[in-house]
Amino acid sequence: MPILRIEHPVPNFDHWKTAFDSDPVGRKRLGVRRYQIFRSIADPNYVMIDLEFDTKDEAESLLSAMRAVWSRVEGSVMSDPHARVVEMVECIEL
């Protein structure tokens, strides 16, 4: 299952979360099956998001849509985004 992993600093987590929840690209429509949001313990204004898809093409389409959004909000809602499409290779519970 392809995962689009995104991470970036935010000036204000609550402001960013409101923008994220407004879903400006239509995550479900673009194939997101599930997502998880992580926050750095050392820096609560640094977020990481994993979005799961059925196909690599869906993940890449959402990434393209997000790049358009980022170009409009960089510096105000978030900055310096890093993103890549990954796949889980191994998951072990101990």
Side-chain angles (χ1 to χ4, degrees):
M1 176 173 295
I3 296 169
L4 174 58
R5 175 161 288 171
I6 301 169
E7 55 184 271
H8 53 71
V10 298
N12 178 293
F13 179 82
D14 293 332
H15 183 228
W16 170 84
K17 183 68 166 70
T18 298
F20 180 87
D21 289 345
S22 75
D23 194 9
V25 295
R27 288 183 291 269
K28 186 174 183 178
R29 179 180 55 80
L30 290 176
V32 174
R33 308 282 277 156
R34 174 175 49 193
Y35 65 84
Q36 297 180 79
I37 298 172
F38 303 91
R39 200 172 173 185
S40 170
I41 291 173
D43 179 0
N45 286 326
Y46 193 86
V47 298
M48 294 148 278
I49 308 101
D50 285 355
L51 303 112
E52 296 181 14
F53 299 84
D54 287 329
T55 70
K56 177 178 75 81
D57 289 343
E58 289 172 329
E60 290 173 347
S61 290
L62 183 73
L63 177 55
S64 179
M66 288 309 305
R67 286 186 173 133
V69 170
W70 294 335
S71 71
R72 294 191 307 268
V73 301
E74 183 149 10
S76 62
V77 176
M78 47 63 66
S79 61
D80 194 27
H82 296 274
R84 61 183 45 109
V85 177
V86 301
E87 64 181 348
M88 185 181 307
V89 174
E90 185 172 50
C91 179
I92 300 172
E93 291 189 38
L94 301 175

